[in-house]
Amino acid sequence: MRYALIAVLTALVLASCSDSDEPATEVHNRVAEITDVKSVCRKILYDESGRVTEYAVSFPGETIRSTYSYTSDDFIRIHTEHRIHGFLPDGEDAVREYDDEMHLEHGRVSSCEGIFSTNQFSGGNPFQKKYRQEFTYTAENQLTAVRNTEWNRKVDSWAYDRPWTWENRYIWENGNLTAVEDYAGNEAPTYIYRYSYTSISGVRNIVPVHMDRYQYFPLQLNGYFGAEPENLISRTEYIRPDAPDSDATYQYSVDGNRVTGYTETHRGTTYDYIVTWTE
Protein backbone atom coordinates (compact mmCIF):
# COMPACT_ATOMS: atom_id res chain seq x y z
CA MET A 1 0.00 0.00 0.00
CA ARG A 2 2.74 2.46 0.92
CA TYR A 3 4.49 2.16 -2.46
CA ALA A 4 1.27 2.61 -4.36
CA LEU A 5 0.41 5.67 -2.31
CA ILE A 6 3.88 7.18 -2.64
CA ALA A 7 3.71 6.66 -6.39
CA VAL A 8 0.45 8.58 -6.38
CA LEU A 9 1.75 11.31 -4.13
CA THR A 10 5.13 11.79 -5.75
CA ALA A 11 4.19 11.89 -9.21
CA LEU A 12 2.75 14.55 -11.60
CA VAL A 13 -0.77 15.30 -12.79
CA LEU A 14 -0.48 17.68 -15.74
CA ALA A 15 -3.26 20.24 -16.13
CA SER A 16 -4.01 22.79 -18.83
CA CYS A 17 -2.33 26.19 -18.75
CA SER A 18 -3.43 29.42 -20.41
CA ASP A 19 -1.33 32.15 -21.98
CA SER A 20 -1.95 34.44 -19.02
CA ASP A 21 0.25 34.79 -15.96
CA GLU A 22 -1.84 32.26 -14.03
CA PRO A 23 -3.02 28.75 -14.94
CA ALA A 24 -6.61 28.75 -16.19
CA THR A 25 -8.59 26.95 -13.49
CA GLU A 26 -11.93 28.12 -12.09
CA VAL A 27 -11.67 29.26 -8.48
CA HIS A 28 -14.67 27.10 -7.55
CA ASN A 29 -13.61 24.03 -9.52
CA ARG A 30 -10.67 22.67 -7.56
CA VAL A 31 -9.91 19.47 -5.71
CA ALA A 32 -10.32 19.99 -1.95
CA GLU A 33 -9.86 16.47 -0.57
CA ILE A 34 -9.03 12.92 -1.64
CA THR A 35 -9.63 10.26 1.00
CA ASP A 36 -10.30 6.56 1.46
CA VAL A 37 -12.22 7.49 4.66
CA LYS A 38 -10.24 4.87 6.66
CA SER A 39 -6.57 5.88 6.87
CA VAL A 40 -5.52 8.03 3.91
CA CYS A 41 -6.43 11.69 3.50
CA ARG A 42 -5.08 14.46 1.30
CA LYS A 43 -6.43 17.99 1.81
CA ILE A 44 -5.76 21.13 -0.23
CA LEU A 45 -6.55 24.64 0.99
CA TYR A 46 -6.81 27.76 -1.20
CA ASP A 47 -6.84 31.52 -0.74
CA GLU A 48 -9.60 33.81 -2.05
CA SER A 49 -7.87 33.95 -5.44
CA GLY A 50 -7.93 30.18 -5.73
CA ARG A 51 -4.19 29.72 -5.14
CA VAL A 52 -2.96 26.74 -3.13
CA THR A 53 -1.94 27.75 0.40
CA GLU A 54 -1.62 24.38 2.18
CA TYR A 55 -1.40 20.70 1.35
CA ALA A 56 -1.76 18.14 4.16
CA VAL A 57 -1.43 14.37 3.83
CA SER A 58 -1.91 11.65 6.40
CA PHE A 59 -1.49 7.94 5.96
CA PRO A 60 -0.38 5.13 8.29
CA GLY A 61 2.87 6.04 10.00
CA GLU A 62 3.52 9.24 8.03
CA THR A 63 2.32 12.82 7.66
CA ILE A 64 3.19 15.53 5.13
CA ARG A 65 2.45 19.25 5.27
CA SER A 66 3.35 21.82 2.64
CA THR A 67 2.69 25.58 2.81
CA TYR A 68 2.75 27.97 -0.16
CA SER A 69 3.36 31.72 -0.27
CA TYR A 70 3.26 34.07 -3.26
CA THR A 71 5.48 37.14 -3.42
CA SER A 72 4.59 37.85 -7.07
CA ASP A 73 2.66 36.30 -9.97
CA ASP A 74 5.76 34.40 -11.11
CA PHE A 75 7.27 33.23 -7.82
CA ILE A 76 6.12 30.65 -5.23
CA ARG A 77 7.91 29.78 -2.00
CA ILE A 78 7.10 26.31 -0.60
CA HIS A 79 8.03 24.67 2.69
CA THR A 80 7.39 20.93 3.12
CA GLU A 81 7.78 18.75 6.19
CA HIS A 82 7.44 14.98 5.82
CA ARG A 83 7.45 13.00 9.07
CA ILE A 84 7.95 9.22 9.28
CA HIS A 85 6.81 8.47 12.79
CA GLY A 86 9.06 6.39 15.04
CA PHE A 87 11.50 5.62 12.22
CA LEU A 88 14.79 6.31 13.98
CA PRO A 89 16.51 3.77 16.29
CA ASP A 90 15.63 5.83 19.38
CA GLY A 91 11.97 5.92 18.36
CA GLU A 92 12.05 9.55 17.22
CA ASP A 93 10.52 10.70 13.94
CA ALA A 94 12.53 10.88 10.75
CA VAL A 95 11.94 14.31 9.22
CA ARG A 96 12.43 15.25 5.57
CA GLU A 97 12.18 18.96 4.71
CA TYR A 98 12.13 20.81 1.40
CA ASP A 99 12.46 24.57 1.02
CA ASP A 100 11.59 25.47 -2.57
CA GLU A 101 11.74 28.67 -4.61
CA MET A 102 9.67 28.12 -7.73
CA HIS A 103 9.80 30.37 -10.80
CA LEU A 104 6.96 30.66 -13.32
CA GLU A 105 6.87 31.82 -16.93
CA HIS A 106 3.50 32.32 -18.67
CA GLY A 107 1.75 30.64 -15.75
CA ARG A 108 3.73 27.39 -15.75
CA VAL A 109 6.77 26.28 -13.76
CA SER A 110 10.07 27.02 -15.50
CA SER A 111 12.47 26.14 -12.67
CA CYS A 112 12.64 25.29 -8.98
CA GLU A 113 15.60 25.69 -6.62
CA GLY A 114 15.71 24.42 -3.09
CA ILE A 115 17.40 22.75 -0.15
CA PHE A 116 16.57 19.27 1.11
CA SER A 117 17.31 18.50 4.79
CA THR A 118 16.78 15.28 6.73
CA ASN A 119 17.79 13.27 9.78
CA GLN A 120 16.59 10.04 8.15
CA PHE A 121 20.02 8.67 7.26
CA SER A 122 22.95 7.48 9.38
CA GLY A 123 20.95 6.99 12.55
CA GLY A 124 19.60 10.52 12.75
CA ASN A 125 22.66 12.52 11.67
CA PRO A 126 21.72 15.64 9.67
CA PHE A 127 22.09 15.60 5.89
CA GLN A 128 21.54 18.38 3.36
CA LYS A 129 21.71 18.86 -0.39
CA LYS A 130 20.89 21.72 -2.73
CA TYR A 131 18.98 21.10 -5.94
CA ARG A 132 17.69 22.78 -9.08
CA GLN A 133 15.08 21.57 -11.55
CA GLU A 134 14.54 23.05 -15.02
CA PHE A 135 11.39 22.24 -17.00
CA THR A 136 11.11 21.98 -20.79
CA TYR A 137 7.82 22.12 -22.73
CA THR A 138 6.81 21.68 -26.37
CA ALA A 139 4.92 24.22 -28.45
CA GLU A 140 1.83 22.13 -27.59
CA ASN A 141 2.48 22.89 -23.89
CA GLN A 142 3.51 19.30 -23.06
CA LEU A 143 6.19 18.76 -20.44
CA THR A 144 8.99 16.75 -22.09
CA ALA A 145 11.98 16.96 -19.74
CA VAL A 146 13.04 17.87 -16.22
CA ARG A 147 16.75 18.57 -15.83
CA ASN A 148 17.96 17.89 -12.29
CA THR A 149 21.15 19.21 -10.70
CA GLU A 150 22.20 18.52 -7.10
CA TRP A 151 25.08 19.64 -4.88
CA ASN A 152 26.07 18.12 -1.54
CA ARG A 153 26.91 20.19 1.51
CA LYS A 154 30.56 21.29 1.73
CA VAL A 155 31.31 22.69 5.22
CA ASP A 156 29.43 26.02 5.20
CA SER A 157 28.75 26.08 1.44
CA TRP A 158 27.96 23.66 -1.40
CA ALA A 159 30.15 21.49 -3.63
CA TYR A 160 29.51 23.55 -6.76
CA ASP A 161 32.58 22.00 -8.39
CA ARG A 162 30.96 18.56 -8.20
CA PRO A 163 27.40 18.83 -9.55
CA TRP A 164 25.29 15.73 -10.05
CA THR A 165 23.14 16.22 -13.16
CA TRP A 166 20.61 14.14 -15.07
CA GLU A 167 17.46 14.61 -17.12
CA ASN A 168 14.14 12.82 -16.72
CA ARG A 169 12.10 12.37 -19.89
CA TYR A 170 8.35 12.56 -20.52
CA ILE A 171 7.09 10.79 -23.64
CA TRP A 172 3.77 11.68 -25.29
CA GLU A 173 1.66 10.00 -27.96
CA ASN A 174 -1.69 11.11 -29.40
CA GLY A 175 -2.19 13.70 -26.68
CA ASN A 176 -1.47 11.36 -23.79
CA LEU A 177 1.65 10.91 -21.67
CA THR A 178 2.70 7.30 -22.24
CA ALA A 179 5.94 7.03 -20.22
CA VAL A 180 8.23 8.78 -17.76
CA GLU A 181 11.89 7.77 -17.63
CA ASP A 182 13.58 8.71 -14.35
CA TYR A 183 17.37 8.43 -14.64
CA ALA A 184 17.93 9.10 -10.90
CA GLY A 185 21.46 10.37 -11.59
CA ASN A 186 22.45 7.48 -13.86
CA GLU A 187 23.24 7.18 -17.59
CA ALA A 188 20.23 4.95 -18.28
CA PRO A 189 16.67 5.10 -16.91
CA THR A 190 16.52 3.71 -13.37
CA TYR A 191 12.76 3.94 -12.84
CA ILE A 192 10.25 3.73 -15.69
CA TYR A 193 6.55 4.56 -15.40
CA ARG A 194 4.19 3.60 -18.24
CA TYR A 195 0.62 4.83 -18.59
CA SER A 196 -2.48 3.47 -20.29
CA TYR A 197 -5.75 5.34 -20.69
CA THR A 198 -9.52 5.00 -20.68
CA SER A 199 -11.70 6.37 -23.48
CA ILE A 200 -12.95 9.12 -21.12
CA SER A 201 -11.83 12.60 -22.18
CA GLY A 202 -12.65 16.14 -21.08
CA VAL A 203 -12.22 15.23 -17.40
CA ARG A 204 -9.29 16.31 -15.24
CA ASN A 205 -6.95 13.51 -14.18
CA ILE A 206 -6.82 12.87 -10.43
CA VAL A 207 -4.15 10.17 -10.56
CA PRO A 208 -0.82 11.98 -10.99
CA VAL A 209 2.16 10.85 -12.99
CA HIS A 210 5.69 10.57 -11.64
CA MET A 211 7.46 13.74 -10.50
CA ASP A 212 9.21 12.78 -7.24
CA ARG A 213 7.97 15.76 -5.21
CA TYR A 214 5.04 15.54 -2.80
CA GLN A 215 4.60 19.30 -2.77
CA TYR A 216 4.06 19.54 -6.53
CA PHE A 217 0.83 17.54 -6.43
CA PRO A 218 -1.71 20.34 -5.73
CA LEU A 219 0.06 22.65 -8.20
CA GLN A 220 -0.07 19.91 -10.81
CA LEU A 221 -3.82 19.57 -10.25
CA ASN A 222 -4.18 23.29 -10.88
CA GLY A 223 -2.32 23.60 -14.18
CA TYR A 224 1.21 24.72 -13.33
CA PHE A 225 3.00 22.00 -15.34
CA GLY A 226 1.56 22.37 -18.82
CA ALA A 227 -0.97 20.27 -20.72
CA GLU A 228 -2.64 17.31 -19.09
CA PRO A 229 -3.24 13.97 -20.84
CA GLU A 230 -6.43 14.03 -22.92
CA ASN A 231 -7.86 10.89 -21.31
CA LEU A 232 -8.14 9.50 -17.78
CA ILE A 233 -5.37 7.11 -16.72
CA SER A 234 -6.49 3.47 -16.54
CA ARG A 235 -3.21 1.77 -15.63
CA THR A 236 0.25 2.66 -14.34
CA GLU A 237 3.17 0.23 -14.68
CA TYR A 238 6.18 0.57 -12.35
CA ILE A 239 9.54 -0.79 -13.52
CA ARG A 240 12.29 -0.62 -10.87
CA PRO A 241 15.68 -2.33 -10.56
CA ASP A 242 15.23 -3.24 -6.89
CA ALA A 243 11.78 -4.86 -7.08
CA PRO A 244 9.58 -6.92 -9.39
CA ASP A 245 7.61 -4.96 -11.97
CA SER A 246 4.17 -3.99 -10.70
CA ASP A 247 1.15 -2.02 -11.75
CA ALA A 248 -1.97 -0.24 -10.52
CA THR A 249 -5.29 -0.02 -12.34
CA TYR A 250 -7.99 2.60 -11.93
CA GLN A 251 -11.75 2.90 -12.40
CA TYR A 252 -13.65 6.16 -11.99
CA SER A 253 -16.96 7.68 -10.97
CA VAL A 254 -17.51 10.84 -13.02
CA ASP A 255 -20.10 13.60 -12.61
CA GLY A 256 -19.99 16.03 -15.52
CA ASN A 257 -16.34 16.99 -15.91
CA ARG A 258 -15.31 15.94 -12.39
CA VAL A 259 -14.01 12.70 -10.95
CA THR A 260 -15.98 12.17 -7.74
CA GLY A 261 -14.39 8.87 -6.79
CA TYR A 262 -12.08 6.16 -8.05
CA THR A 263 -10.72 2.74 -7.20
CA GLU A 264 -7.06 1.77 -7.28
CA THR A 265 -6.16 -1.91 -7.54
CA HIS A 266 -2.57 -2.79 -6.66
CA ARG A 267 -1.14 -6.25 -5.95
CA GLY A 268 -4.59 -7.78 -5.68
CA THR A 269 -6.01 -5.24 -3.24
CA THR A 270 -8.54 -2.56 -4.19
CA TYR A 271 -8.68 0.83 -2.46
CA ASP A 272 -11.67 3.18 -2.79
CA TYR A 273 -11.18 6.95 -2.83
CA ILE A 274 -13.67 9.81 -2.58
CA VAL A 275 -12.82 13.11 -4.30
CA THR A 276 -14.33 16.33 -2.92
CA TRP A 277 -14.27 19.62 -4.87
CA THR A 278 -14.52 23.24 -3.77
CA GLU A 279 -17.95 24.80 -4.28
Side-chain angles (χ1 to χ4, degrees):
M1 171 61 180
R2 177 171 294 181
Y3 176 72
L5 179 61
I6 290 177
V8 168
L9 289 172
T10 63
L12 165 67
V13 168
L14 303 174
S16 296
C17 176
S18 72
D19 291 331
S20 68
D21 289 338
E22 291 287 342
T25 308
E26 295 179 13
V27 172
H28 301 296
N29 189 30
R30 300 174 184 265
V31 174
E33 182 178 270
I34 302 174
T35 180
D36 70 351
V37 180
K38 299 176 183 178
S39 59
V40 177
C41 184
R42 285 166 275 172
K43 291 185 177 181
I44 306 172
L45 301 180
Y46 303 90
D47 64 15
E48 293 181 353
S49 299
R51 299 178 303 186
V52 176
T53 58
E54 184 175 337
Y55 175 47
V57 184
S58 61
F59 51 96
E62 302 183 41
T63 54
I64 302 162
R65 182 175 181 266
S66 297
T67 55
Y68 305 76
S69 59
Y70 303 81
T71 57
S72 69
D73 289 341
D74 56 7
F75 183 83
I76 307 173
R77 182 172 281 111
I78 310 169
H79 175 74
T80 300
E81 181 182 278
H82 174 198
R83 286 187 171 271
I84 308 173
H85 302 297
F87 180 87
L88 298 179
D90 60 3
E92 293 295 316
D93 294 349
V95 181
R96 301 163 60 90
E97 294 183 281
Y98 295 84
D99 287 287
D100 298 309
E101 294 185 346
M102 181 174 285
H103 301 269
L104 310 180
E105 291 183 4
H106 307 294
R108 66 190 182 193
V109 178
S110 59
S111 66
C112 184
E113 300 151 0
I115 295 174
F116 169 73
S117 307
T118 188
N119 65 347
Q120 184 177 355
F121 311 127
S122 302
N125 291 325
F127 170 84
Q128 280 191 321
K129 66 180 178 181
K130 186 175 182 178
Y131 56 84
R132 176 178 173 83
Q133 292 183 311
E134 298 167 273
F135 302 83
T136 301
Y137 304 86
T138 66
E140 291 75 30
N141 202 29
Q142 295 170 342
L143 178 68
T144 58
V146 179
R147 181 178 175 83
N148 295 269
T149 305
E150 296 183 355
W151 301 269
N152 285 332
R153 170 67 74 180
K154 186 178 181 180
V155 191
D156 58 351
S157 184
W158 305 99
Y160 290 116
D161 57 331
R162 300 182 64 186
W164 188 21
T165 301
W166 71 95
E167 188 170 276
N168 296 338
R169 298 176 182 174
Y170 293 74
I171 301 166
W172 295 73
E173 183 177 340
N174 298 324
N176 285 319
L177 182 71
T178 57
V180 177
E181 298 178 342
D182 187 336
Y183 284 67
N186 299 307
E187 294 183 357
T190 303
Y191 307 100
I192 299 174
Y193 303 81
R194 292 180 179 153
Y195 303 95
S196 304
Y197 292 86
T198 70
S199 60
I200 302 171
S201 61
V203 179
R204 187 182 307 164
N205 266 292
I206 296 300
V207 176
V209 299
H210 176 69
M211 192 68 186
D212 199 30
R213 289 288 190 274
Y214 293 111
Q215 59 269 34
Y216 289 176
F217 178 64
L219 299 178
Q220 294 153 8
L221 284 176
N222 289 282
Y224 286 82
F225 290 91
E228 71 169 275
E230 292 183 0
N231 299 91
L232 291 181
I233 294 170
S234 63
R235 181 174 182 240
T236 302
E237 297 177 74
Y238 313 106
I239 301 172
R240 302 176 293 159
D242 56 348
D245 296 352
S246 63
D247 69 352
T249 58
Y250 304 93
Q251 293 183 321
Y252 301 91
S253 297
V254 177
D255 182 7
N257 64 348
R258 296 179 176 185
V259 171
T260 57
Y262 67 93
T263 63
E264 176 188 63
T265 302
H266 179 69
R267 293 178 177 171
T269 302
T270 297
Y271 308 94
D272 294 291
Y273 293 93
I274 298 169
V275 182
T276 305
W277 297 72
T278 57
E279 298 294 345

